[in-house]
């Protein structure tokens, strides 16, 4: 890799690092926030998932800006908004202020993955997009690692409010680096009719076969990793917060490895003529097995379901090259943003609805939600994912080589 490409991966990966850390930080700090503000499961679910709601709203406008102005300028804007959101969240004295701060954080960093993927499409060769995406995902995944046991250690010395002030400062440091170190670059200007990309994506049969399983699997992973893994491990498995941190760290490490390996493996196998959909299908199958083990409480103290879930949880990201390779580089961000918006819309619904289902049972005398409530919530999600997986497997469109299906070239 050239020094310029290394700089691109590092700088845009840092944007995604902050995005992932801020997305999942509540998995560790939720008990403190619940105690400070006396929040119910529905409220903590809403407060955490509003990140995803704002992401779903902002991703398509961000994609238009990306194709028009390039990833460097857009990332600078995103991180400035995120810094403001972190500052408000850190100073919040009410549930409503928490919602506002969390919403601004979502507006700021939720699109950092699409921004990074856009940077890959303008800097990397087309046949190395999945590799470039995996490298960015690998850097970004360090954010979720930092948001597990390292964050628990940090909280021994600072409060959760100071953690968010620190995130605001880091965001501004990355903005400074983007100004002085990262060169400006963008794909060729889009053609006048390129705004029809959204219509083309939404009328593609392959998209409607791909989107349900890719978006739902990633939404379930986001919801579990970002909030409900901590609650399940505490309420159902009966683990201490230190033991919970160990499993969250394992899941984060496995996720980081999965992000790096899955993309490189996908490029290698597709170069040998194996459909990209085959790699994605194997990963989704592994994810379903992990969710099944947790839902049925099979060996609740076991480590392996969390490792498998981490390794396969982002396998739906292979849907991005399945979509973007069908479009010219000048419209790739808009093409990817439709799938990304679907991911975050479902993530909001999944994370919030899990809290709502838990509150139907309510807390017991020990302050924990009963195992049956988790079984119902996770079982419903497992059933939906299984149906969307069958829908994906029975499609001819997604199994065809996307390089042969370019749109607008």
């Amino acid at each position: 890799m050239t020094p310029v490409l290394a700089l691109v991966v590092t700088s845009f990966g840092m944007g995604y690092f902050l995005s992932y850390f801020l997305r999942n930080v509540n998995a560790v700090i939720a008990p403190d926030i619940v105690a400070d503000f006396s929040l119910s499961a529905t409220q903590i679910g809403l407060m955490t998932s509003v990140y995803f709601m704002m992401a779903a709203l902002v991703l398509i406008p961000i994609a238009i800006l990306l194709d028009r102005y390039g990833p460097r300028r857009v990332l600078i804007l995103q991180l400035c908004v995120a810094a403001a959101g972190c500052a408000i969240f850190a100073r919040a004295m009410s549930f409503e202020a928490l919602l506002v701060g969390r919403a601004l954080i979502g507006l700021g960093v939720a699109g950092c993955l699409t921004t990074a993927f856009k940077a890959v499409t303008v800097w990397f060769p087309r046949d190395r997009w999945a590799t470039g995406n995996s490298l960015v995902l690998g850097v970004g995944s360090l954010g979720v690692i930092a948001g597990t046991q390292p964050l628990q250690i940090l909280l021994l010395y600072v409060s959760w409010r100071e953690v968010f002030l620190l995130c605001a400062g880091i965001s501004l440091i990355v903005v400074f680096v983007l100004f002085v170190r990262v060169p400006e670059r963008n794909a060729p200007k889009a053609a006048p009719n390129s705004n029809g990309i959204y219509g083309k994506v939404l009328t593609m049969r392959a998209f409607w076969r791909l989107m349900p399983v890719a978006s739902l699997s990633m939404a379930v992973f986001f919801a579990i990793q970002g909030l409900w893994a901590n609650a399940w491990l505490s309420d159902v498995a009966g683990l201490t917060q230190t033991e919970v941190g160990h499993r969250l760290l394992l899941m984060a490490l496995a996720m980081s490895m999965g992000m790096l390996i899955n993309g490189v493996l996908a490029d290698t196998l597709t170069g040998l003529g194996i459909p990209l959909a085959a790699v994605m299908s194997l990963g989704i199958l592994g994810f379903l097995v992990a969710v099944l083990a947790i839902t049925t409480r099979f060996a609740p103290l076991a480590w392996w379901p969390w490792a498998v879930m981490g390794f396969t949880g982002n396998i739906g990201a292979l849907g991005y090259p399945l979509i973007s390779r069908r479009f010219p580089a000048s419209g790739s961000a808009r093409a990817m943003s439709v799938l990304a918006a679907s991911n975050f819309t479902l993530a909001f619904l999944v994370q919030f609805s899990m809290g709502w289902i838990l509150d139907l049972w309510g807390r017991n005398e020990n302050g924990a939600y009963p195992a049956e409530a988790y079984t119902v919530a996770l079982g419903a999600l497992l059933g939906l994912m299984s149906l969307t997986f069958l829908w994906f497997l029975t499609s001819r469109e997604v199994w065809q080589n996307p390089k042969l299906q370019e749109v607008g070239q």
Side-chain angles (χ1 to χ4, degrees):
M1 182 186 297
T2 66
V4 173
L5 290 182
L7 178 61
V8 169
V9 168
T10 302
S11 56
F12 286 91
M14 275 303 300
Y16 191 48
F17 173 98
L18 287 165
S19 171
Y20 231 130
F21 179 85
L22 291 166
R23 180 194 304 172
N24 292 316
V25 66
N26 284 353
V28 171
I29 68 171
D32 292 334
I33 295 180
V34 168
D36 289 351
F37 291 89
S38 300
L39 302 182
S40 67
T42 301
Q43 287 177 312
I44 190 67
L46 175 61
M47 187 271 289
T48 303
S49 64
V50 73
Y51 174 106
F52 297 117
M53 181 177 67
M54 302 311 297
L57 293 176
V58 78
L59 280 174
I60 288 179
I62 285 291
I64 295 173
L65 294 175
L66 283 170
D67 284 336
R68 182 170 299 176
Y69 298 108
R72 175 179 172 271
R73 297 180 186 180
V74 172
L75 185 58
I76 289 171
L77 174 63
Q78 289 172 311
L79 293 181
C80 287
V81 174
C86 287
I88 292 173
F89 196 91
R91 298 300 186 186
M93 299 303 294
S94 66
F95 175 67
E96 291 74 18
L98 289 175
L99 282 178
V100 171
R102 184 71 175 169
L104 284 176
I105 290 171
L107 282 175
V109 298
C112 284
L113 178 59
T114 303
T115 303
F117 282 176
K118 176 63 177 182
V120 168
T121 66
V122 301
W123 284 100
F124 280 74
R126 178 177 288 263
D127 61 354
R128 288 293 178 265
W129 281 0
T131 297
N133 287 350
S134 290
L135 291 172
V136 168
L137 287 169
V139 175
S141 68
L142 297 177
V144 73
I145 294 173
T148 57
Q149 204 162 25
L151 177 58
Q152 285 184 330
I153 296 172
L154 180 62
L155 287 171
L156 296 175
Y157 304 97
V158 301
S159 69
W160 64 266
R161 295 181 183 274
E162 291 169 318
V163 169
F164 279 88
L165 289 177
L166 178 62
C167 288
I170 293 174
S171 298
L172 295 178
I173 290 173
V174 177
V175 167
F176 176 77
V177 172
L178 287 166
F179 265 119
V180 301
R181 294 287 295 170
V182 178
E184 190 72 54
R185 185 169 180 177
N186 197 11
K189 292 296 184 181
N193 63 349
S194 63
N195 287 332
I197 286 174
Y198 290 122
K200 292 174 183 176
V201 173
L202 293 174
T203 56
M204 285 170 51
R205 294 180 64 183
F207 172 78
W208 291 107
R209 288 285 190 163
L210 164 71
M211 183 274 290
V213 69
S215 294
L216 185 59
S217 63
M218 293 185 73
V220 172
F221 179 61
F222 292 166
I224 293 175
Q225 184 190 42
L227 182 60
W228 299 118
N230 189 329
W232 189 95
L233 288 166
S234 177
D235 293 349
V236 179
L239 302 183
T240 66
Q241 281 302 301
T242 299
E243 292 171 326
V244 170
H246 291 158
R247 283 159 176 78
L248 293 178
L249 178 59
L250 173 66
M251 183 162 55
L253 290 171
M255 187 197 74
S256 181
M257 292 298 297
M259 285 178 167
L260 289 171
I261 292 173
N262 291 334
V264 175
L265 180 64
D267 275 342
T268 302
L269 293 179
T270 53
L272 297 175
I274 298 174
L276 184 58
V279 183
M280 185 173 166
S281 297
L282 183 61
I284 291 171
L285 182 60
F287 183 69
L288 288 173
V289 170
V291 176
L292 177 64
I294 295 169
T295 302
T296 59
R297 287 170 273 164
F298 177 79
L301 300 181
W303 293 69
W304 68 264
W306 306 102
V308 173
M309 180 177 291
F311 191 84
T312 60
N314 275 289
I315 197 69
L318 291 180
Y320 289 110
L322 270 173
I323 295 296
S324 63
R325 286 178 183 177
R326 302 167 188 262
F327 293 88
S330 60
S332 60
R334 274 169 284 184
M336 290 186 290
S337 71
V338 182
L339 181 60
S342 302
N343 297 344
F344 285 121
T345 299
L346 287 178
F348 165 74
L349 294 173
V350 168
Q351 199 164 72
F352 173 72
S353 63
M354 281 196 66
W356 179 78
I357 291 173
L358 293 181
D359 273 335
L360 292 179
W361 271 262
R363 298 181 187 271
N364 58 27
E365 62 277 6
N366 297 321
Y369 290 95
E372 292 76 11
Y374 289 97
T375 298
V376 170
L378 292 172
L381 296 174
L382 183 64
L384 287 174
M385 282 191 294
S386 299
L387 291 175
T388 60
F389 188 38
L390 289 174
W391 177 250
F392 176 80
L393 289 177
T394 55
S395 169
R396 289 183 299 176
E397 293 83 5
V398 295
W399 290 86
Q400 295 170 345
N401 187 347
K403 292 182 180 178
L404 302 177
Q405 311 249 345
E406 302 285 341
V407 175
Q409 294 269 26

